[in-house]
Amino acid sequence: MALLPKIFLLLFLHSCLLNWRAWAKVDLSMDESIEVYLGDSAEIPCRYNFTNVSHEPSFVIIQWFVEAVGSRSRVRIFYRENNLTVVDDGTDYSGRIEVIPEQQGTLLIIQNVQLYDERVFFCQVNGMSAGSAEGKAHLRVFAPPEAPLIEGVLDGISVTKEMPSKVASCEARNGFPKPNITWHKNGIALIPAPGYVNVLTLVTRESSGFYSVQSTLEYQVGKEDKDAHFSCEVSFFVPGAIRTTESQSINITVHYPTTMVELWKESPQGLVKEGDTVELRCQGDGNPPPPFIFSREQDPEVKLESKGDVLILSPVSRLHSGLYSCHPLDNDGYTEVKGEVQLTVHYLDPAVVVPKESEVMFRGEDLTATCNALSSLKTSTTWYKDGKQVGRGNTLHLQDATYETRGVYMCEVTVPSLPALQTSGSVEIIVHGSPQLVGVEQKVQLEGAQGRTVNLSCEAMGYPLPSISWTIVGSQNWYEVMNKASENMVYSVVSVRVTSDISALCNASNNMGTEFKMFSIKAIPRVTTTAPFSPAEGSGVIIVVIILCLLLLAFLGSIIYFLRKKGKIPCGRSGKQEITKEKTTKDDIVVEMKTNTKNEEAVLLKAVNGDKKGPTDQ
């Protein structure tokens, strides 16, 4: 019976001890995950607090553990109790960690974080009778990948393929954790769809622990994708966020058949004329550009030789006019698609002038000349003579022809809408008729001083070319100083010495007729002024004259006597010599006195009637 109370006392004391420990408690808290960049320092806090105790326990043990790689076991890396601190040797963290006590906990610092540091770290606090607790935190390490590299296919992709074709590949290297790749077309994300969009992804874990991701895009391309831009976007985790990096965009080569063809005249610009070099260019919307076949509607079976997509016609004539077409030859052969252009080659034939070359007219007649040139465009005709415009239109009217009408008339035919087209023709007009003297007056009145020389001119037109003759009454001292002729004009000039009143007649004649022009020259005596005569002076002059005459007679007598002595002068009738009149020069004054004026007029009329006399016959 005495043993029973002792047993009850021990049970009571044990129950009190258990209740006291149940009342003591340690509150411990840790962050679920800690995120840090590769190479940085990681700080893992462990916050704890003792509750239901009157004071802080004097003996507290703090330990840090890390989850072993590849297993669930733990490896201690740190231990501390009161003043004893131990960093365990032989672990991945020996020399890399530091544990700093804090007011409400402890802080684990890991230097130079590596990829294999991504593990679970445990913090264990033991206050003995004050209680114990444990917490854990997951350390996450981040390494951004390199810039993505995109590479498009080099060959063209045909739209006629039934299945999606490889478009490009994209690679993101050395990232942690594994990056993700998405594809975009013109900035819009492509979502995988069977038969339309396929994305093949290959993930590689490098020996360094980094991840490299390669993605291949297979896409069902269409013609509209010839201008599309494809790019890849890499998304990856960083502490507290997700970031993206986009590659450069690429353009792919899309092959598609020709559905539209255009044919146009590339050169020359504007209207085409005969002799030009014409280039017709054909272009379709297919890719790659197919070869083309050129033909003309007038000869559809004849294939024209071309240089690629250009047809060269040189030099062109009006026969090249027509409707030209070009047809593409795609991989599937001849297609019905074609381009067409109408080519018109303009022309201007040589001018035809009527009358041709030359035409003979008589004075006073009328003539109508025409000039025509066949052309594909509207023409304009202008007539010229001696470089001056004399008419417009294809008809030229010549009325009441004169000698001024004669000459070469040229017609010039131009095309206003195509100035490079022009032609010309000409006709020579010859005017036949009797002579026509130049000048209005048929009778010219002149005055001339006796002894002076007067020049008389006469100019006549006519066809055939007339001849000019002169008849001069009143002076035998005259001669022709000039006589020149052109195509249908003759010009004559005579020089006459005035000795008395003179009548001169210029006579122009050809086989068509005769025309004359008369000159009348009135001789004006020369007037000399003499001093007043006095008897004394007169007698002195007479004496001087007589003396001079006597001296002259004596001199002549001595000469005659001397010649007779020498036998130079024969005597008698048989010794008489005939003295002839020496030929006068042009400067001698010949005076002919005529008292009968009727005889003058008779001589002039006789000359007009054709009895022409030279100067020596008058």
Side-chain angles (χ1 to χ4, degrees):
M1 294 295 295
L3 183 61
L4 185 60
K6 291 181 180 181
I7 294 173
F8 279 111
L9 177 62
L10 290 175
L11 291 174
F12 174 77
L13 292 173
H14 182 68
S15 175
C16 288
L17 179 63
L18 291 176
N19 290 334
W20 178 81
R21 294 190 62 179
W23 294 339
K25 182 180 181 183
V26 180
D27 291 332
L28 189 147
S29 65
M30 295 181 69
D31 295 332
E32 184 177 350
S33 67
I34 302 297
E35 297 179 348
V36 64
Y37 281 109
L38 176 68
D40 287 353
S41 297
E43 295 182 356
I44 305 176
C46 178
R47 296 173 292 273
Y48 61 87
N49 183 29
F50 291 97
T51 61
N52 299 328
V53 293
S54 59
H55 58 275
E56 289 288 331
S58 59
F59 187 82
V60 177
I61 299 175
I62 296 178
Q63 298 182 90
W64 283 92
F65 298 88
V66 64
E67 189 177 53
V69 177
S71 66
R72 290 182 173 272
S73 62
R74 298 181 179 185
V75 176
R76 192 183 74 177
I77 60 176
F78 178 82
Y79 173 83
R80 186 180 72 187
E81 62 175 49
N82 290 346
N83 296 326
L84 178 63
T85 300
V86 178
V87 176
D88 294 283
D89 295 329
T91 68
D92 295 332
Y93 299 94
S94 300
R96 279 203 307 134
I97 64 172
E98 180 182 3
V99 178
I100 300 175
E102 293 183 337
Q103 184 177 1
Q104 293 294 328
T106 182
L107 179 65
L108 174 63
I109 299 176
I110 305 174
Q111 307 290 339
N112 191 19
V113 173
Q114 300 299 311
L115 295 182
Y116 57 78
D117 292 333
E118 181 160 322
R119 310 185 201 179
V120 177
F121 289 82
F122 300 90
C123 175
Q124 188 180 88
V125 177
N126 187 355
M128 304 307 286
S129 61
S132 63
E134 183 181 89
K136 63 180 180 179
H138 191 179
L139 179 62
R140 297 186 179 275
V141 182
F142 297 92
E146 299 173 4
L149 296 176
I150 187 171
E151 182 178 358
V153 295
L154 300 179
D155 297 332
I157 304 172
S158 176
V159 299
T160 58
K161 290 187 176 181
E162 297 181 357
M163 298 298 294
S165 302
K166 179 182 177 180
V167 172
S169 62
C170 180
E171 185 177 15
R173 296 178 57 83
N174 298 327
F176 193 89
K178 178 179 71 69
N180 185 45
I181 296 177
T182 57
W183 288 92
H184 293 78
K185 185 184 83 168
N186 297 329
I188 301 175
L190 292 174
I191 300 175
Y196 185 67
V197 178
N198 293 334
V199 177
L200 306 179
T201 304
L202 176 64
V203 180
T204 302
R205 184 73 183 266
E206 308 291 348
S207 60
S208 59
F210 292 107
Y211 288 96
S212 293
V213 179
Q214 185 176 21
S215 178
T216 301
L217 173 65
E218 294 180 348
Y219 183 71
Q220 183 67 50
V221 298
K223 182 179 178 181
E224 65 279 1
D225 295 319
K226 62 184 179 66
D227 298 321
H229 290 84
F230 292 88
S231 62
C232 63
E233 183 183 73
V234 178
S235 59
F236 53 90
F237 292 95
V238 296
I242 298 177
R243 292 183 180 175
T244 60
T245 301
E246 189 172 1
S247 69
Q248 64 179 4
S249 61
I250 62 169
N251 181 254
I252 60 174
T253 301
V254 180
H255 290 174
Y256 45 87
T258 303
T259 58
M260 182 185 69
V261 176
E262 183 181 5
L263 178 63
W264 71 91
K265 176 174 65 68
E266 190 164 77
S267 67
Q269 300 297 322
L271 300 177
V272 178
K273 68 180 186 304
E274 288 188 322
D276 285 345
T277 297
V278 176
E279 292 187 5
L280 301 180
R281 183 175 295 276
C282 185
Q283 183 175 346
D285 62 347
N287 190 44
F292 294 97
I293 295 179
F294 291 84
S295 61
R296 193 171 67 150
E297 185 181 43
Q298 288 78 355
D299 304 302
E301 302 301 325
V302 178
K303 306 306 178 184
L304 304 176
E305 293 186 5
S306 60
K307 294 182 179 180
D309 58 351
V310 177
L311 174 64
I312 300 177
L313 305 174
S314 178
V316 295
S317 68
R318 67 194 71 182
L319 299 178
H320 287 91
S321 297
L323 182 65
Y324 287 79
S325 62
C326 64
H327 303 265
L329 280 177
D330 287 327
N331 293 332
D332 55 353
Y334 183 81
T335 63
E336 294 299 327
V337 181
K338 66 178 180 178
E340 294 180 336
V341 65
Q342 177 69 39
L343 176 64
T344 301
V345 180
H346 297 285
Y347 57 88
L348 177 63
D349 287 344
V352 178
V353 181
V354 178
K356 297 181 178 180
E357 298 182 354
S358 64
E359 181 72 9
V360 176
M361 298 178 62
F362 290 97
R363 289 174 59 187
E365 283 188 343
D366 298 338
L367 176 69
T368 298
T370 60
C371 177
N372 294 285
L374 183 63
S375 176
S376 58
L377 296 170
K378 185 178 180 180
T379 60
S380 174
T381 305
T382 306
W383 292 85
Y384 296 93
K385 180 189 176 188
D386 300 330
K388 297 181 180 179
Q389 181 177 325
V390 295
R392 293 188 65 86
N394 64 331
T395 302
L396 177 67
H397 299 284
L398 301 177
Q399 297 178 340
D400 192 15
T402 64
Y403 289 123
E404 286 77 10
T405 308
R406 74 189 185 282
V408 178
Y409 292 81
M410 186 187 73
C411 70
E412 185 179 87
V413 182
T414 59
V415 178
S417 58
L418 190 55
L421 280 181
Q422 59 179 4
T423 185
S424 62
S426 63
V427 59
E428 182 181 8
I429 301 300
I430 302 172
V431 179
H432 278 200
S434 59
Q436 177 182 342
L437 291 173
V438 177
V440 180
E441 300 179 353
Q442 286 190 339
K443 187 172 183 179
V444 180
Q445 300 288 339
L446 299 173
E447 291 183 352
Q450 288 183 349
R452 296 291 181 85
T453 299
V454 177
N455 289 334
L456 304 178
S457 65
C458 191
E459 186 177 7
M461 295 184 296
Y463 194 90
L465 186 68
S467 61
I468 293 179
S469 61
W470 291 87
T471 301
I472 298 177
V473 177
S475 175
Q476 293 192 6
N477 193 1
W478 67 274
Y479 59 93
E480 191 174 30
V481 297
M482 181 184 294
N483 192 323
K484 64 178 182 179
S486 60
E487 186 176 358
N488 57 359
M489 181 174 289
V490 64
Y491 180 73
S492 177
V493 178
V494 296
S495 181
V496 182
R497 182 179 292 276
V498 180
T499 57
S500 63
D501 291 347
I502 296 174
S503 296
L505 183 69
C506 168
N507 184 24
S509 62
N510 62 8
N511 58 5
M512 303 292 293
T514 302
E515 191 164 341
F516 63 90
K517 184 176 184 179
M518 182 177 290
F519 299 87
S520 179
I521 305 174
K522 180 176 180 59
I524 302 176
R526 291 186 178 183
V527 178
T528 58
T529 304
T530 59
F533 179 79
S534 62
E537 293 176 354
S539 60
V541 171
I542 293 173
I543 294 172
V544 173
V545 171
I546 292 173
I547 294 171
L548 292 175
C549 289
L550 291 175
L551 291 174
L552 180 60
L553 289 174
F555 177 72
L556 292 175
S558 62
I559 292 175
I560 294 172
Y561 177 76
F562 176 77
L563 293 175
R564 290 186 64 183
K565 284 292 185 178
K566 294 292 184 179
K568 300 295 183 179
I569 302 177
C571 296
R573 185 178 181 87
S574 59
K576 292 182 180 179
Q577 294 181 354
E578 182 179 357
I579 301 175
T580 60
K581 184 180 179 181
E582 294 181 0
K583 186 176 181 181
T584 62
T585 63
K586 62 180 181 179
D587 295 330
D588 293 336
I589 301 176
V590 179
V591 180
E592 183 178 353
M593 302 297 295
K594 294 187 178 180
T595 58
N596 193 349
T597 58
K598 293 183 178 181
N599 292 335
E600 272 187 28
E601 296 177 359
V603 171
L604 292 176
L605 292 175
K606 187 176 182 181
V608 171
N609 292 330
D611 188 6
K612 303 175 183 178
K613 296 181 180 180
T616 58
D617 297 334
Q618 294 181 356

